[in-house]
Amino acid sequence: MLSRRGFTLSAVASGALAASGALGRTARATHIEPEMGDDGLHKQPWFLESFLELYEDLSEAAANNKHLAVMWEQKGCPYCRETHRVNLARHEISDYIKANFEVLQLNLWGSRKVTDFDGKVMEERDIARRWNVVFTPTISFFPNDPNLVEGKTGGDAEIMRMPGYFKPYHFLSMFEYVRMAKYKELSFQKYIQIKFEELKKQGKKPTIW
């Protein structure tokens, strides 16, 4: 599935995992332990609450000029926890996401009924298999045009996928990459490279890691 996007995001994810260990002690000291729900998943109060009808969720998001992102997590996932306590705890990240995305959290092993974009009703765990989601966290991004997803499975409709934990800079950059539709013209790796080059020319460094 990843190959059709023209690059291997798993390599980016691996680098992000390695880099996550280099977060500063000061930054770690300010992390807030995320709230946990009855299902064992960490929660954000701004996550989308819906009837799990994905076409309707995307249509409502598009009406508000937002993208729909589906975030797959599972109980006991250490990098899901890291995503919440490190990435989503940073206001510059969470504020950008809230302004431009609706984020729906699904459970990789959950049993809630979800209606896929093509109208097929399945449990979360079956939808995960249908979309070929095999580990967590995984974030699936979708276009903000309902016409582009109607009649498709989520796996076929997604425009980008974030496989695994990305450090804060890459994490936010992925959301920017989708929001600005940069995926239509260049790979994510190239987008990151251009950002670094622009910052270097300005004598600056990334402000979030």
Side-chain angles (χ1 to χ4, degrees):
M1 178 176 292
L2 294 176
S3 61
R4 71 172 184 262
R5 293 170 178 79
F7 59 96
T8 306
L9 272 175
S10 58
V12 179
S14 298
L17 284 172
S20 66
L23 290 171
R25 293 182 180 178
T26 301
R28 285 190 177 278
T30 60
H31 294 161
I32 300 173
E33 194 63 29
E35 177 185 350
M36 183 177 290
D38 295 336
D39 57 2
L41 304 187
H42 299 292
K43 305 294 181 180
Q44 296 295 326
W46 44 269
F47 275 177
L48 179 64
E49 296 289 342
S50 79
F51 293 109
L52 304 182
E53 296 178 358
L54 300 183
Y55 181 80
E56 296 303 322
D57 289 340
L58 185 145
S59 297
E60 291 184 14
N64 292 312
N65 195 30
K66 294 183 178 182
H67 283 267
L68 176 68
V70 174
M71 185 169 178
W72 292 95
E73 302 186 55
Q74 63 178 310
K75 183 178 180 179
C77 167
Y79 286 110
C80 298
R81 175 175 176 266
E82 198 77 352
T83 297
H84 286 269
R85 72 183 293 270
V86 176
N87 298 13
L88 298 179
R90 296 172 181 260
H91 292 299
E92 60 267 52
I93 294 178
S94 59
D95 287 349
Y96 183 86
I97 295 174
K98 287 186 287 185
N100 297 289
F101 291 84
E102 292 290 358
V103 178
L104 176 66
Q105 183 186 59
L106 294 182
N107 188 339
L108 187 68
W109 305 106
S111 58
R112 294 183 299 171
K113 298 291 186 180
V114 180
T115 304
D116 207 343
F117 296 109
D118 63 355
K120 182 78 171 179
V121 180
M122 307 175 74
E123 292 184 350
E124 290 166 283
R125 52 196 169 206
D126 296 322
I127 288 282
R129 284 194 291 270
R130 194 183 200 208
W131 293 11
N132 196 31
V133 177
V134 295
F135 54 85
T136 57
T138 290
I139 304 179
S140 297
F141 295 92
F142 299 95
N144 61 349
D145 182 351
N147 294 321
L148 297 179
V149 303
E150 189 172 11
K152 296 182 179 180
T153 69
D156 290 332
E158 68 179 14
I159 53 178
M160 191 53 54
R161 177 175 290 197
M162 187 186 299
Y165 176 74
F166 281 28
K167 59 185 178 180
Y169 181 76
H170 290 78
F171 186 83
L172 177 57
S173 294
M174 175 63 83
F175 281 89
E176 295 172 345
Y177 179 74
V178 171
R179 175 62 180 175
M180 296 186 292
K182 292 296 184 180
Y183 59 87
K184 294 181 179 180
E185 57 188 81
L186 72 166
S187 72
F188 181 61
Q189 291 148 316
K190 184 63 175 178
Y191 174 70
I192 288 291
Q193 181 183 349
I194 291 173
K195 284 188 66 176
F196 270 113
E197 290 174 350
E198 290 178 348
L199 287 171
K200 186 177 180 180
K201 289 178 181 178
Q202 299 171 15
K204 300 178 181 178
K205 294 182 179 180
T207 56
I208 54 173
W209 287 96

